[in-house]
């Protein structure tokens, strides 16, 4: 097919040319001085994205590895851990915790809501013997497009005055949705490279609090590859205990620079705006969002229910074959009932317009029952809330301010000459 493929799954996301070019540099000796400079720069720079002043370790791994690292470094066999069924990824993480020999209290959920902070509070208050060692939450459930409210969950833990560690998966939120490791006193933040960080898959991250580090000294789950201790020891001089993903670290350096150039607040605002435009399109089509709580809308992806009887996978196939666009599939119990639109990472208005056009044309081709006009609804919203308008407004205000200053100065000069 001519033209570029539209990769609109909620990760891996489109890798910017700038990052691709950075990755294409020659691989260097990972035990040499040039590597140490690169490693120090990214290990330091990535902390800005997590909003932490503490340590972040970077594994050559997918996100699943970073999940495992968080558990095995902080917990011991049979430790009790509180987890929440927010969707497919929360369920997979629960399965992993069980396989590692943890005692999981898995709070059931309907896959349409995030973690209820009030429930966290009551569960922790009920735990009088302080048996729960960790609370594990998926910030942005990629299977449903529901974002849990981490600041409120932290507040709930504080109100219960419970010492459990807080482990948060930010795999599809980091660099896309506001997140603050230090301010929310998260103990381990888990993430990976292929979503908001705009890199190919292959890097897993753990941001680690002092409390989590202290817990790791006591934790007895077996760990070798994932052990923080040799990683942190070697990282302090810019090295790794085993071969790092050198070229992905070049990419990471570039991605951090891009996020810094745009500014994290602007990055988050851009994702919010694209999320809202997408939801307006979905509503105009007469379709239903998976997420039922407006306070928990994800701004990195939107999961959409197909109308009764319409097979979401057949629709995705028609869109792939007809328009060369990949959309996310329904996962787990949502298989065939849901498609997911990724609007995160290196993404702009016209990419969103193209994406939504592909969905709308695909639904016509697949004879899905819907009301046309979603694309227009999204475009209206984008136009009414355009950065250009805000920037113009800022420029105009600035110009007016300068004019006013100039007039004041002129008046002052005139008065001065009058006085002379
Ligand atoms: C929220 C969330 N957690 C965990 C994972 C697993 O990450 P990976 O597939 O990189 O191992 C994913 C993957 O998409 C995810 O979206």
């Amino acid at each position: 097919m001519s033209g570029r493929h539209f990769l609109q799954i909620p990760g891996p996301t489109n890798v910017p040319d700038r990052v691709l070019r950075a990755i294409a540099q020659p691989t260097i000796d990972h035990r040499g001085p040039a590597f140490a400079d690169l490693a120090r720069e990214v290990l330091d720079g990535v902390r800005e994205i997590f909003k932490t002043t503490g340590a972040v370790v970077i594994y050559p791994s997918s996100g699943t590895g970073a999940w495992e690292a968080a558990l095995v470094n902080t917990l011991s066999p049979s430790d009790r851990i509180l987890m929440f069924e927010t969707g497919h990824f929360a369920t997979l993480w629960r399965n992993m915790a069980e396989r590692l020999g943890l005692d999981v209290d898995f709070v059931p959920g309907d896959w349409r809501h995030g973690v209820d902070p009030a429930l966290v509070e009551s569960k922790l208050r009920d735990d009088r013997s302080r048996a729960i060692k960790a609370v594990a939450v998926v910030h942005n459930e990629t299977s449903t497009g529901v974002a849990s409210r981490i600041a409120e969950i932290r507040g709930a833990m504080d109100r219960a005055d419970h010492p459990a560690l807080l482990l948060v998966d930010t795999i599809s939120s980091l660099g896309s949705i506001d997140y603050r490791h230090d301010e929310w006193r998260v103990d381990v933040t888990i993430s990976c490279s292929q979503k908001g960080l705009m890199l190919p898959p292959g890097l897993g991250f753990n941001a680690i609090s002092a409390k989590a580090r202290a817990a790791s000294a006591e934790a007895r789950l077996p760990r070798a590859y994932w052990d923080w201790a040799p990683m942190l020891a070697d990282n302090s001089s810019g090295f790794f205990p085993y071969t790092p993903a050198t070229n992905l670290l070049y990419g990471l350096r570039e991605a951090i620079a891009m996020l810094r150039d745009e500014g994290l607040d602007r990055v988050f605002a851009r994702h919010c705006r694209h999320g809202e435009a997408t939801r307006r399109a979905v509503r105009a089509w007469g379709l239903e969002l998976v997420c039922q709580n407006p306070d928990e809308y994800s701004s990195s992806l939107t999961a959409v229910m197909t109308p009764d009887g319409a097979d979401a996978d057949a629709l995705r196939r028609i869109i792939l074959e007809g328009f060369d666009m990949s959309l996310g599939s329904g996962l787990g119990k949502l298989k065939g009932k849901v498609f997911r639109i990724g609007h995160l990472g290196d993404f702009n208005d016209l990419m969103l317009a193209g994406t939504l056009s592909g969905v709308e044309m695909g639904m016509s081709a697949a004879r899905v029952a819907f009301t046309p006009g979603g694309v227009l609804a999204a475009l209206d919203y984008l136009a009414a809330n355009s950065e250009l308008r805000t920037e113009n407004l800022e420029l105009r205000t600035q110009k007016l301010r300068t004019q006013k200053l100039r007039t004041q100065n002129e008046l002052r000069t005139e008065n001065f000459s009058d006085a002379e």
Side-chain angles (χ1 to χ4, degrees):
M1 277 206 179
S2 58
R4 275 208 171 194
H5 175 72
F6 265 65
L7 181 66
Q8 296 319 139
I9 58 175
T13 60
N14 295 286
V15 181
D17 293 350
R18 233 175 110 172
V19 171
L20 285 173
R21 277 195 295 273
I23 290 172
Q25 293 173 79
T27 305
I28 52 173
D29 172 12
H30 61 284
R31 302 198 195 282
F35 180 83
D37 291 344
L38 167 68
R40 278 202 212 93
E41 194 178 338
V42 292
L43 285 165
D44 185 43
V46 80
R47 297 188 304 169
E48 276 173 49
I49 318 296
F50 286 90
K51 297 207 173 153
T52 181
T53 54
V56 178
V57 301
I58 308 177
Y59 296 103
S61 81
S62 81
T64 303
W67 265 350
E68 184 164 338
L71 298 177
V72 297
N73 277 287
T74 54
L75 298 168
S76 298
S78 305
D79 270 356
R80 181 154 262 247
I81 177 170
L82 186 58
M83 301 180 105
F84 298 84
E85 188 196 0
T86 49
H88 183 65
F89 290 103
T91 306
L92 291 181
W93 200 12
R94 182 278 310 258
N95 295 348
M96 172 188 275
E98 284 184 342
R99 286 170 67 182
L100 290 170
L102 295 168
D103 172 17
V104 184
D105 180 356
F106 195 48
V107 180
D110 64 359
W111 292 39
R112 302 193 74 169
H113 294 85
V115 175
D116 177 358
L119 200 54
V120 175
E121 185 173 340
S122 74
K123 279 271 179 191
L124 294 180
R125 278 190 194 282
D126 289 348
D127 178 39
R128 294 198 207 292
S129 65
R130 303 299 191 231
I132 297 171
K133 299 294 177 225
V135 175
V137 177
V138 175
H139 180 204
N140 189 63
E141 193 27 276
T142 324
S143 60
T144 62
V146 176
S148 287
R149 291 158 287 159
I150 305 301
E152 290 179 41
I153 292 167
R154 173 77 262 173
M157 292 176 72
D158 289 348
R159 280 193 300 282
D161 194 20
H162 197 289
L165 297 167
L166 175 58
L167 316 180
V168 180
D169 167 339
T170 63
I171 284 179
S172 58
S173 56
L174 190 82
S176 304
I177 301 175
D178 189 14
Y179 184 79
R180 308 166 188 203
H181 176 91
D182 283 2
E183 188 181 321
W184 298 342
R185 301 200 328 284
V186 177
D187 294 296
V188 188
T189 298
I190 295 112
S191 204
C192 66
S193 52
Q194 71 267 24
K195 311 228 183 208
L197 288 180
M198 307 175 285
L199 297 162
L203 297 179
F205 300 87
N206 276 180
I208 308 165
S209 74
K211 185 171 157 187
R213 252 171 115 158
S216 76
E218 310 292 326
R220 284 177 291 100
L221 276 178
R223 57 188 198 249
Y225 184 81
W226 305 116
D227 197 348
W228 289 339
M231 193 64 132
L232 291 167
D234 285 13
N235 281 177
S236 63
S237 53
F239 294 105
F240 281 66
Y242 37 72
T243 314
T246 310
N247 288 54
L248 289 178
L249 298 180
Y250 287 138
L252 178 58
R253 178 164 62 185
E254 200 62 27
I256 294 169
M258 287 179 71
L259 290 169
R260 209 178 263 154
D261 287 352
E262 186 173 353
L264 277 181
D265 288 343
R266 284 180 82 139
V267 170
F268 300 148
R270 166 165 62 78
H271 282 79
C272 284
R273 187 167 156 271
H274 288 152
E276 178 57 25
T278 306
R279 291 189 294 274
R280 285 180 186 228
V282 173
R283 282 189 209 107
W285 287 327
L287 302 185
E288 206 181 317
L289 298 165
V290 173
C291 181
Q292 286 190 316
N293 180 357
D295 290 337
E296 296 174 330
Y297 285 149
S298 164
S299 47
S300 58
L301 79 133
T302 302
V304 186
M305 325 262 285
T306 41
D308 282 346
D311 178 355
D313 287 339
L315 170 65
R316 286 189 318 107
R317 201 166 38 247
I318 286 170
I319 292 173
L320 178 62
E321 285 167 7
F323 309 107
D324 199 20
M325 176 163 74
S326 297
L327 294 173
S329 60
L331 294 170
K333 68 180 188 187
L334 298 178
K335 183 166 171 37
K337 299 181 184 144
V338 158
F339 64 91
R340 294 170 302 140
I341 304 171
H343 34 76
L344 72 161
D346 187 38
F347 196 64
N348 63 30
D349 286 12
L350 293 189
M351 289 164 87
L352 181 62
T355 302
L356 297 175
S357 301
V359 174
E360 190 156 334
M361 289 191 291
M363 289 197 295
S364 292
R367 300 190 192 288
V368 169
F370 78 103
T371 311
V375 175
L376 280 182
L379 294 186
D380 282 347
Y381 175 78
L382 289 177
N385 295 276
S386 146
E387 277 220 328
L388 273 180
R389 282 175 69 134
T390 336
E391 265 171 19
N392 278 345
L393 205 75
E394 273 168 18
L395 267 180
R396 247 180 294 151
T397 323
Q398 221 172 9
K399 244 191 222 158
L400 279 177
R401 217 176 284 137
T402 325
Q403 247 168 20
K404 201 170 145 194
L405 270 179
R406 212 176 285 141
T407 322
Q408 278 171 350
N409 279 344
E410 276 164 11
L411 277 176
R412 235 177 266 135
T413 324
E414 271 170 28
N415 289 343
F416 183 66
S417 0
D418 284 352
E420 264 188 340

